[in-house]
Amino acid sequence: MERLNQALYSAFEQDARVHLIGEDLLDPYGGAFKVSKGLSSAYPERVLTSPVSEAAISGVAGGMALRGLLPVVEIMFGDFSTLIADQVINSLTKFRAMYNGAVDVPVVIRAPMGGRRGYGPTHSQTLEKLFLGVPGLRVLAPNTLSDPGQLLLDAILRDPGPVFFVENKLLYLKEVLGQEALAEYQVEQNTPTDSYAATTRLQIQGAPKPTLTLVAYGYMAELAREAQQRLAFEHEIFCELVAPSQLAPFGADGALDPLLLASIQRTRHLLTIEEGSYSLGWGAEVAARAAQALGPALQAVQRVAAAEAPIPASVPLERANLPGVDDIVAAARKMV
Amino acid sequence: MSADYYRQMARIRRFEETVLEQFSSGLFYGTTHTYIGQEANAVGVLSHLAEGDIVFSNHRCHGHFIAYGGDLRALFAELMGKPSGVVGGIGGSQHIHWRDFYSNGVLGSTAPVATGAALAEKVQGSGKLAVIFLGDGALGEGVLYESLNIAALWQAPILFVLEDNRIAQTTPIELNLAGDIAARFAAFGIPVAELDSSDLTEIADAAAPLFGELRSGGGPQALVLHTARFGPHSKGDDTRDEAAVARLRAERDPLTIHAATLDEAERLGIEAEVADEVAAAFAQAQADPEHQP
């Protein structure tokens, strides 16, 4: 969370065009999840605490962006991103194309997603899959394996937009893993470009040749890392973990992430892991592209995702609904 | 000025008539929403526009675009889906952008965007304002009311022009709208002027003080224009009683009304020139090359 908060400060400091719009942003509250804390005191003119009007604030940001500002929108709970769908799909992502490339729409919409806090059916969802595949929309989701602050800062200051920036609520409590924490891994990272964000690949140092690729984003990358450890030390199943921070679009030519592709080519087994509900999700698209890229060389694919039912508020029931480390371990053990 | 206003209205009328006449020839793609009968609204309101002011329009945008100063050939070419169109044939009839003019075809969706655009001008101290045209049909969309609230709260320099032609596609306003239109703006503390007229001079006069307020730093203003749509919603979908539409044409034609301020020879001269101008623009657009994907 500090990284995201610092990134907002940096963006405000570096460029006077940056504005933040959202509900309950003013100090001392500083937004429902405190990512915006302090900003309204430091930049009172540029932090606009808004009415409870998600559709309008996303559209207002679009208008500001058309006319030269760099607005960031905070949606209080990602569940409410359903309310911004028309503005995102029929306005913000359309303008550049339908106005024949004459405009940019540099808007970043930040949305906290995810469950495991007992908030119940309409405050716990992982809904970004509804926005994947919208032409012209970049969907980013930070994880603990690369710098979330840099990801956000680049989205605000460098991206012609629009960007949907997915922040898992539990990641707010996690530290970004430094060199020390990652010392036991062989780490590979891509070089992010303006059109493709950071991806990290982890493999346990000194382990035998991995036979399975785990791919996960956001908080699920954290759970997948735990699963990777347990699979290695309890079951002698060795995995590569690939954690992209860009969910859409796929690479410039529509290809799979190069680190992911190389990993699947080595292991020939792919397990996709996401917190969204099972059907028609991100994992399905990754699996389809893996199958297209590898053909018969791809030996097995499975998916771990949330149940296809509203997320209960009761924590034991919620735990059963959402994918956890045990689910990843169980799915992996069936594959190799 | 009077003759110039007449010329602008005649240009819109002749453009839209040409679109309707030629649609069956298969030269245009998609659909169209003609502005015939409402010309005085666009020309009257936009007569107060200054360089750099922003205009947001809706699906029925041809009249607004032409009154803004948009090129007839480029608009014909846009409807024909050609590279020489306003936005290269990508947007088509409802989705165009040129200079500070923007349109989008989802009713009411432009309200927050226009409000944000106006706020950006305020933040940057440009002194520019935004004008947004909405129809009575858009009053059914919730995001409009969110936008009125924000525009008023944050004092956006924007003029909401509500063109009430009393019919949304084929549904008469009695079946679409409860309550009062002007009261909707008033409820948000937005000053509102209301007029039931097809007289360009009256419309321009009603808009003048609202622009004055905005230029002197005032917040949002609203202008409710009760008007008459003579043509179908798009092409062949007019389900209204023909006699009622004929009566509207006889009683509320903005060109006939404004013609009273001109002498006959001048009016005929303008009409002939406009007919030639529109015909030439159409012919040029027709001769423009097609996309070769």
Side-chain angles (χ1 to χ4, degrees), chain A residues 299-319:
Chain A
Q299 291 176 6
V301 176
Q302 288 296 326
R303 289 178 281 161
V304 169
E308 301 201 278
I311 299 166
S314 158
V315 168
L317 294 179
E318 182 185 44
R319 202 175 291 136

Side-chain angles (χ1 to χ4, degrees), chain B residues 134-156:
Chain B
L134 299 156
D136 51 295
L139 294 170
E141 295 289 358
V143 75
L144 171 60
Y145 303 97
E146 295 184 19
S147 306
L148 295 178
N149 187 45
I150 287 177
L153 268 176
W154 298 348
Q155 290 291 289

Side-chain angles (χ1 to χ4, degrees), chain A residues 16-17 19-22 45-70 83 86-87 89-92 94-103, chain B residues 52-54 56 78 83 85-91 94-97 99-106 108-121 123-124 128 143 146-147 149-150 153-154:
Chain A
R17 296 174 298 168
H19 285 66
L20 181 66
I21 313 171
E45 306 276 300
R46 289 158 60 195
V47 176
L48 303 170
T49 200
S50 82
V52 186
S53 303
E54 289 81 4
I57 60 175
S58 53
V60 162
M64 288 177 152
L66 281 179
R67 302 299 300 185
L69 299 183
L70 298 176
L83 296 162
D86 178 63
Q87 286 298 321
I89 296 170
N90 282 324
S91 291
L92 273 54
K94 287 292 187 288
F95 289 147
R96 184 183 302 116
M98 81 182 184
Y99 297 155
N100 206 17
V103 300
Chain B
D53 284 343
I54 299 164
F56 272 84
E78 187 60 36
V86 182
V87 284
I90 295 167
Q94 315 181 56
H95 318 100
I96 54 177
H97 160 60
R99 294 190 179 170
D100 303 298
F101 181 99
Y102 310 82
S103 76
N104 197 355
V106 181
S109 74
T110 46
V113 182
T115 300
L119 286 166
E121 298 304 318
V123 162
Q124 295 169 116
K128 305 303 177 198
V143 75
E146 295 184 19
S147 306
N149 187 45
I150 287 177
L153 268 176
W154 298 348

